Amino acid sequence: MHVQEWLQAVPPLGVYVLVGVVIGLESLGIPLPGEIVLVSSALLSSQGVVDPVLVAACATAGAIVGDSIGYSIGRKGGRPLLDRLARRFPKHFGPVQVVQAERAFHRWGMWAVFFGRFIALLRIFAGPLAGVLRMPYWKFLTANVLGGIVWAAGTTAVIYTVGIVAEAWLKRFSWLGLALAVLFGIASTLYVRRRAAARADREESAAAPAGEGAGPKPVGAADAVGAATAD
């Protein structure tokens, strides 16, 4: 079942809680489809099922709290924590992924936390890795809060707007499609009739010379005998 269809069966309060919990756990360092849940919930808000403001608020809270907990765990666990995560989630915390994340942190510093919110890999890494690398907490918190607000509220606003516009466009398109179908049917009928009439004219024109150019009926043997007797 599609995520959006599954969320439609959940009460609005359950959707808000689910958004906050899934995004919080993902930010903490557990590989979960937080972005998919957020996008699906934002689409539901464009259909009036849930409130977009509450969706954005729960997503923001989950992102900030989850990253903060991940930072604390990473600061206490250190490198051994990354090794344990690598054994448990090799596709997400393998040596290659860790090296890429560390390069991003060394190059961008606190901005890696901010922009990491928009990148699937860094979104999982940002909190724990910032703690492991001993980033000052005030820098981490600043980037964490700003990134969480911009990502969660921005994604919700964009998807909500797109959903509203798409729904209105599809409603207009249904009437436009019906009109185009009717016009296409009329045009097709006229075209077929015109082709049939033109074909009939060609067949009549081709048959007329053959009938007009036919010679006299050949004289049979009985007719020749009768003519000789008459003479």
Side-chain angles (χ1 to χ4, degrees):
M1 181 182 292
H2 193 273
V3 174
Q4 187 177 355
E5 296 176 353
W6 183 77
L7 286 175
Q8 286 178 337
V10 179
L13 179 60
V15 174
Y16 303 139
V17 173
L18 187 66
V19 168
V21 169
V22 171
I23 293 177
L25 291 176
E26 182 191 39
S27 303
L28 189 150
I30 300 176
L32 290 175
E35 192 167 33
I36 295 177
V37 172
L38 176 59
V39 170
S40 300
S41 301
L43 283 176
L44 288 181
S45 69
S46 69
Q47 300 169 7
V49 179
V50 292
D51 189 339
V53 176
L54 292 179
V55 170
C58 292
T60 302
I64 295 173
V65 173
D67 261 353
S68 298
I69 296 175
Y71 174 90
S72 300
I73 294 174
R75 192 174 181 88
K76 292 180 180 179
R79 291 285 176 178
L81 174 64
L82 294 180
D83 296 335
R84 290 196 297 271
L85 291 175
R87 290 193 297 270
R88 180 166 296 185
F89 305 107
K91 293 183 179 180
H92 298 86
F93 291 91
V96 175
Q97 289 81 1
V98 172
V99 170
Q100 291 176 348
E102 286 183 342
R103 287 176 180 174
F105 268 76
H106 288 307
R107 182 175 182 180
W108 302 106
M110 62 181 291
W111 292 109
V113 178
F114 177 86
F115 290 110
R117 175 55 55 185
F118 300 88
I119 303 173
L121 178 63
L122 286 179
R123 188 161 55 246
I124 300 173
F125 264 110
L129 191 57
V132 171
L133 297 178
R134 301 284 177 170
M135 177 182 291
Y137 183 69
W138 70 268
K139 289 186 176 181
F140 169 79
L141 183 61
T142 301
N144 179 28
V145 172
L146 292 177
I149 293 174
V150 174
W151 174 74
T155 300
T156 303
V158 170
I159 299 300
Y160 174 81
T161 304
V162 170
I164 294 292
V165 173
E167 185 176 1
W169 184 82
L170 287 174
K171 288 181 179 178
R172 291 196 299 269
F173 179 76
S174 62
W175 290 103
L176 178 62
L178 178 60
L180 290 176
V182 172
L183 292 176
F184 179 77
I186 295 174
S188 300
T189 302
L190 294 176
Y191 176 76
V192 171
R193 287 183 178 179
R194 182 173 296 179
R195 290 283 301 226
R199 184 175 181 180
D201 291 340
R202 288 197 301 269
E203 290 178 353
E204 290 178 1
S205 300
E212 295 174 358
K217 182 180 179 181
V219 179
D223 295 334
V225 173
T229 305
D231 292 340

